[in-house]
Amino acid sequence: MNDDLKSVNYFKEFETKHKELKDEFRRVSNDILFLISRLEKLNSELRRLPEKVEQDNSEIFQSFNEIIDKRNEKITPIVNDLDEAVELRQLNEIIQKQGWTIQDFIKELDIAPRTFYKKVETHTFTMKEMNIVRRILSLTDQEFLTLFFN
């Protein structure tokens, strides 16, 4: 009987251990299935990545080319704003109000007269030149904006 009891206890331990291992196996299997699923999803995203990068780059290059084309055509908003901004008449009035002659003002700018008139005509003053004009004429912010950016 003692042997029978030992056998029954041994069998119960076996069943308990078997059940625990089986449950653990299910949990690990589910975790593995989840990881496999996640790996497949990541692999799919990685495969699509070059296509997405190419598409994004295409859009960026297209946008960049449009900007360059607009600049080449001189129709960017900055150029459009400057096209009507600097008028020689307004500039002459401000220069004379400050007590300068045009020739002295141009000398103070340190550019050739022909270059000055070309810049006024084509609205191609650099920011440095605009700031020099601002300093020489002691322009307020409002006067500066009105003169160069209308």
Side-chain angles (χ1 to χ4, degrees):
M1 177 130 173
N2 211 359
D3 282 342
D4 286 343
L5 189 59
K6 258 183 167 179
S7 293
V8 168
N9 283 338
Y10 182 74
F11 186 73
K12 281 184 178 183
E13 285 177 21
F14 174 79
E15 280 185 332
T16 304
K17 187 68 172 171
H18 183 262
K19 187 176 185 297
E20 287 174 4
L21 290 173
K22 209 172 176 183
D23 289 343
E24 182 68 20
F25 180 80
R26 265 193 218 109
R27 280 193 298 275
V28 170
S29 294
N30 285 338
D31 289 347
I32 289 173
L33 288 174
F34 173 76
L35 289 172
I36 289 171
S37 170
R38 183 73 180 128
L39 282 171
E40 287 175 345
K41 184 177 180 185
L42 289 172
N43 190 28
S44 174
E45 288 178 25
L46 280 171
R47 286 184 184 160
R48 286 190 307 241
L49 189 61
E51 180 181 305
K52 174 132 177 60
V53 168
E54 185 177 320
Q55 179 184 0
D56 289 350
N57 282 343
S58 174
E59 291 171 5
I60 290 169
F61 285 129
Q62 182 180 2
S63 175
F64 180 74
N65 285 334
E66 287 173 4
I67 291 169
I68 295 300
D69 290 344
K70 285 181 181 178
R71 285 193 178 170
N72 288 339
E73 294 171 13
K74 297 189 180 214
I75 59 169
T76 61
I78 295 172
V79 173
N80 277 342
D81 288 343
L82 290 176
D83 278 347
E84 299 173 1
V86 181
E87 291 185 20
L88 186 57
R89 181 182 46 78
Q90 283 180 320
L91 187 57
N92 280 339
E93 287 174 7
I94 294 172
I95 290 169
Q96 289 172 359
K97 281 182 187 175
Q98 296 287 332
W100 291 85
T101 66
I102 296 293
Q103 291 75 21
D104 290 339
F105 177 76
I106 294 171
K107 282 180 188 174
E108 187 69 22
L109 272 177
D110 198 29
I111 58 176
R114 182 177 170 161
T115 305
F116 172 78
Y117 288 110
K118 183 74 172 173
K119 285 181 179 283
V120 169
E121 180 184 319
T122 59
H123 315 292
T124 55
F125 284 99
T126 65
M127 278 307 293
K128 181 179 178 182
E129 292 165 336
M130 285 189 263
N131 283 320
I132 292 171
V133 168
R134 181 182 192 173
R135 181 183 50 80
I136 293 170
L137 298 177
S138 303
L139 298 175
T140 65
D141 291 342
Q142 186 60 41
E143 291 170 328
F144 177 77
L145 292 173
T146 302
L147 180 64
F148 287 104
F149 302 102
N150 207 3

